[in-house]
Amino acid sequence: MRRRFRTTGAILVAALLCGALATRECAAAPTDDVIARGKALTIAGDCASCHTADPAKPFAGGKRIDTPFGAVFSPNLTPDRDTGIGGWSDDDFLRALRTGVAPSGAHYYPAFPYPNFTKLIRDDILAIRAYLATLAPVSNKAPPPELPWPLNYRVLMRAWNALFFTPGIIQPDQGKGAEWNRGRYLVEALAHCGACHTPKNAFGADRRDQALSGSMVQGMFAPRLDGAARSGLKSWSAADIAEYLQSGRNGHSHAGPLMSEVVLNSTSKMRDADVRAIAVYLKSLPAGAPEPEVTPPSPAQMSDGERIYRGACIACHELDGSGAPRIYPPLPGNANLQSANPTSTLRIILDGAQTVTTPRAPNGGSMPAYPKLTDQEVADVATYIRNAWGNAAPAVTADEVAKARTAK
């Protein structure tokens, strides 16, 4: 009887332990709501744009990302156990996003925006991981970085982090409303807008005193997102900002080549409430660094530029620059056009542009390229449109055009 009792007791203990483990596993399994939230967060973070090299293999990484220091290649985010994140624990994923350190202990380069993602709350990070775990696993090992010595040694990132990286989540501003705080969280953390729109120092770190005041990215100039009068968002309403993010255009401007990718993969698919929150937060930002004082261009350059404009541009943009809002962007008061750095304007003239199409704005438009114009002719017409109709921006030189031709 005693032996039978011990056997029965052992079975009961084993059953209880198995039941406890099963319950633990069930409790750990993410719910459909968590996965759906993770998908929405992944879209807001625009993860697909950087981590998809082959559209047939989304999130499988391998995309080349050029930086001023060389090229890096995005890692595989699918749940493949050998080349992706399928073998990672939750703590591994948290550590990567919050500190920029891989499970192997290797340090990521800040082309991976962990200085922004460190501000994310734990539940959001784990929701993103839960969504990524639902993807089809793809075997795809990213190529090694193409960086010169000694930057190819990741251990140097320890010094970079000590100098420029401040870990920690965003603390809500109790003096602001929930919508403003949500917008700040999205802009500064998840959507990492500063990665493109904040100027960098010589070491590639954000100039925090010039946040969102515009920066060069992959041969284009990402414009100011602060309240600067001419080249910022002062003339835009919150509704204008939301429309631009959701459709890629509004009555003031159209998304350029790099921002079009963000609109297609991210902001046009985001929840209306989140887009509105971003718009409210951006609209609240005061002007940061002063805009440069502009010396009026010479009458000769303005005259030469007007002649080229009349011959090549008025068919779409009209003689007065008014264009056709949301089809051909108007030029008077155009913030991008009046940026202190003219590179994006020059690249659009040289390379042409294609209006992004989204569900909210399915009709497309295009601008032809004008590569046959001489450097001086491009400089003249760019100077003209940057200073006609009440606009004001520094004159463009032929040397700047020559640099823009190769800034790709």
Side-chain angles (χ1 to χ4, degrees), residues 54-77:
D54 180 353
K57 300 175 181 178
F59 296 97
K63 184 172 182 178
R64 181 187 180 95
I65 300 172
D66 290 305
T67 78
F69 309 98
V72 296
F73 296 85
S74 60
N76 186 345
L77 296 186

Side-chain angles (χ1 to χ4, degrees), residues 42 46-65 73-78 131-132 135 138 140 142 261 265 269:
T42 302
D46 197 20
C47 305
S49 288
C50 286
H51 291 273
T52 302
D54 180 353
K57 300 175 181 178
F59 296 97
K63 184 172 182 178
R64 181 187 180 95
I65 300 172
F73 296 85
S74 60
N76 186 345
L77 296 186
T78 73
Y131 167 67
L132 294 176
L135 301 176
V138 177
N140 185 44
E261 186 176 30
N265 293 330
K269 300 177 180 179

Side-chain angles (χ1 to χ4, degrees), residues 38 50 58 73 94-95 140 219 290 308 328 330:
C50 286
F73 296 85
L94 281 161
R95 187 184 184 201
N140 185 44
I308 297 167
Y328 303 115

Side-chain angles (χ1 to χ4, degrees), residues 183 186-187 191 193 197 225 233 236-250 253-255 259-272 274-282 356 358-360:
L186 290 167
V187 168
C193 302
H197 292 272
L225 300 182
L233 298 178
W236 292 26
S237 67
D240 290 332
I241 298 171
E243 180 185 0
Y244 179 89
L245 294 173
Q246 291 178 316
S247 69
R249 65 189 86 166
N250 60 21
S253 188
H254 288 202
M259 188 62 194
S260 291
E261 186 176 30
V262 177
V263 171
L264 279 175
N265 293 330
S266 179
T267 57
S268 67
K269 300 177 180 179
M270 288 174 61
R271 298 169 178 173
D272 290 350
D274 282 346
V275 173
R276 170 69 186 178
I278 289 174
V280 166
Y281 175 70
L282 291 178
V356 64
T358 61
R360 286 182 169 86

Side-chain angles (χ1 to χ4, degrees), residues 164-195:
F164 306 117
F165 174 51
T166 304
I169 65 173
I170 287 181
Q171 298 297 327
D173 185 337
Q174 301 300 327
K176 302 288 187 178
E179 188 173 47
W180 185 94
N181 276 293
R182 177 64 175 171
R184 180 190 174 204
Y185 180 75
L186 290 167
V187 168
E188 294 188 10
L190 186 59
H192 56 282
C193 302

Side-chain angles (χ1 to χ4, degrees), residues 14 31 80 84 118 134 145 184 233 315 318 325 334 341 359 364 379 382:
T31 65
D80 180 71
T118 189
T134 68
R184 180 190 174 204
L233 298 178
E318 305 292 346
N334 189 297
N341 187 318

Side-chain angles (χ1 to χ4, degrees), residues 60 62 76 83 139-143:
N76 186 345
T83 65
S139 178
N140 185 44
K141 185 176 181 180

